Amino acid sequence: MKTRTGRRGDEGDDVEAVLDELYTTPPSDFVARRETQAAAAKTAGRVDDARRIRSARRPTLAAWAANLLLRSQPEESRQFLELGRALREAYQALDAESLKVLSTQRRRVVSALSRQTAQLARDAGHRLSQPVQQDLEATLRAVLADPDAADQWAGGRLVNALTPPAEFGPGTTPSTERPSPRSRPASPSPSASPGRASKDELAERRRARQEQLARAREAAEAAEQRLREERARQAEVEAELQRVREHTEQARRRMSAIEEQLQQAREECRQAENEQQEAEVHSRSAADVVAQAERAAHETAQQVRRMARGATNA
């Protein structure tokens, strides 16, 4: 896979990294993000960078999904590009039966990778419609079939979906314009007869085709194995995500119950405080009454004592 080294200065971000990030931004947010990054570059005095960023074209949904796959799954994407190289080499020399086997493997890999990309898009908040999914699969087939398409995808900045060449589709058979081994005259050799040389040449070509087929099959099987591992890992991540979601929901319910209990406790506390205030008022009133009664009792007692002393003196 291609790698880029862009200019990076103290005054701003690497414009190449900005563009890479921009082309994995969902199309619905692309323009706003582009203008923000261009304005930031211009403010930082990087006028050329700002011009490059502002000239970036918004990708279609299928192209964005293909870019997202490349950036999100770099190792798997690298293996997919290697598979494409192996398949293109094999398709140059294999017979119809071998091509049929490779076509089946290729369809399987493209289908699996397309489903994985659709999941990545859903995780990013965008569900791919059937037409968009078809454009995505066409792009992946083009990457396998066409080296130019592979280079475009490896750049990570597709704007539109790619179209695979017609001669490298499912069920393709070797071109009738390609001369068969039997139509090529064997080179005469001083030490061998023409018939023997022709047989040796044919056997050598068969061995070469078998080796190419074996390499292509190994690459396809490696890609399929990688896809299976990624799907299994994705299933584990989704299961863990579901577990965390359930745990979060339980925590939210508990928090809601606690908040409700807290609200109820606050209300009860307010009621208790009101009752306490009322009780304190009543208590003060009762204390005043008691004090008045004590004073009256004291005065009455004094009066009784005075009357008793008066009666005694009389």
Side-chain angles (χ1 to χ4, degrees):
M1 186 182 302
K2 291 182 177 179
T3 57
R4 295 194 188 90
T5 55
R7 178 179 59 81
R8 181 180 296 275
D10 295 337
E11 68 279 2
D13 292 334
D14 177 7
V15 66
E16 300 297 338
V18 170
L19 289 171
D20 287 342
E21 182 266 341
L22 190 60
Y23 276 94
T24 56
T25 300
S28 57
D29 302 328
F30 182 90
V31 174
R33 182 63 176 166
R34 179 187 64 189
E35 295 308 309
T36 298
Q37 294 284 27
K42 185 175 181 180
T43 301
R46 297 181 289 118
V47 179
D48 291 340
D49 289 352
R51 187 180 299 109
R52 284 192 61 193
I53 294 171
R54 187 164 282 117
S55 65
R57 295 168 55 198
R58 183 176 67 177
T60 64
L61 196 56
W64 165 74
N67 294 334
L68 184 64
L69 169 65
L70 182 81
R71 298 300 177 192
S72 301
Q73 306 292 336
E75 179 60 23
E76 193 166 343
S77 298
R78 182 188 64 78
Q79 292 184 357
F80 189 69
L81 289 168
E82 291 178 354
L83 173 62
R85 283 192 291 270
L87 287 174
R88 289 192 296 273
E89 292 176 0
Y91 266 72
Q92 293 176 0
L94 294 179
D95 54 32
E97 187 62 30
S98 299
L99 291 178
K100 183 177 179 181
V101 173
L102 287 178
S103 295
T104 300
Q105 292 179 327
R106 178 168 53 87
R107 284 194 297 270
R108 220 167 27 237
V109 171
V110 167
S111 178
L113 203 57
S114 175
R115 289 194 298 271
Q116 184 175 358
T117 306
Q119 182 60 49
L120 290 172
R122 282 195 295 272
D123 293 342
H126 290 268
R127 184 176 295 275
L128 304 185
S129 65
Q130 185 63 27
V132 173
Q133 193 81 22
Q134 292 173 352
D135 287 344
L136 172 62
E137 291 184 1
T139 297
L140 294 176
R141 291 198 302 272
V143 170
L144 289 180
D146 184 0
D148 291 336
D151 288 341
Q152 290 181 53
W153 181 59
R157 300 177 189 173
L158 290 183
V159 176
N160 297 301
L162 301 175
T163 302
E167 67 273 12
F168 191 70
T172 300
T173 57
S175 171
T176 55
E177 297 180 356
R178 182 184 300 139
S180 65
R182 292 184 180 179
S183 64
R184 299 174 184 173
S187 300
S189 171
S191 59
S193 65
R196 178 58 180 274
S198 178
K199 290 180 181 179
D200 291 343
E201 183 180 355
L202 181 58
E204 182 62 30
R205 287 174 182 166
R206 285 176 177 171
R207 282 194 297 272
R209 285 199 298 269
Q210 292 301 321
E211 290 176 357
Q212 290 175 334
L213 176 59
R215 287 196 300 270
R217 284 176 173 171
E218 288 177 359
E221 290 172 358
E224 290 185 36
Q225 178 62 27
R226 176 69 177 176
L227 287 173
R228 286 193 294 270
E229 293 174 356
E230 290 298 329
R231 283 199 296 270
R233 191 159 30 247
Q234 182 180 2
E236 293 176 357
V237 171
E238 290 178 351
E240 177 64 15
L241 176 60
Q242 182 61 29
R243 188 192 67 78
V244 172
R245 283 174 175 169
E246 292 175 355
H247 181 72
T248 302
E249 184 60 28
Q250 292 174 359
R252 286 175 178 170
R253 287 197 294 268
R254 289 197 299 270
M255 183 175 65
S256 179
I258 292 172
E259 288 177 348
E260 184 177 350
Q261 293 174 357
L262 178 60
Q263 183 64 26
Q264 183 177 356
R266 285 173 176 168
E267 183 63 28
E268 293 175 355
C269 182
R270 282 194 294 268
Q271 292 178 359
E273 288 175 349
N274 292 334
E275 292 174 356
Q276 179 181 346
Q277 291 175 356
E278 293 177 358
E280 289 175 350
V281 171
H282 293 160
S283 176
R284 286 193 294 271
S285 298
D288 292 341
V289 171
V290 170
Q292 292 175 3
E294 287 177 347
R295 285 195 297 271
H298 181 69
E299 291 175 356
T300 302
Q302 287 179 343
Q303 185 178 3
V304 168
R305 284 194 295 270
R306 285 195 299 269
M307 292 175 64
R309 283 195 301 269
T312 302
N313 294 331

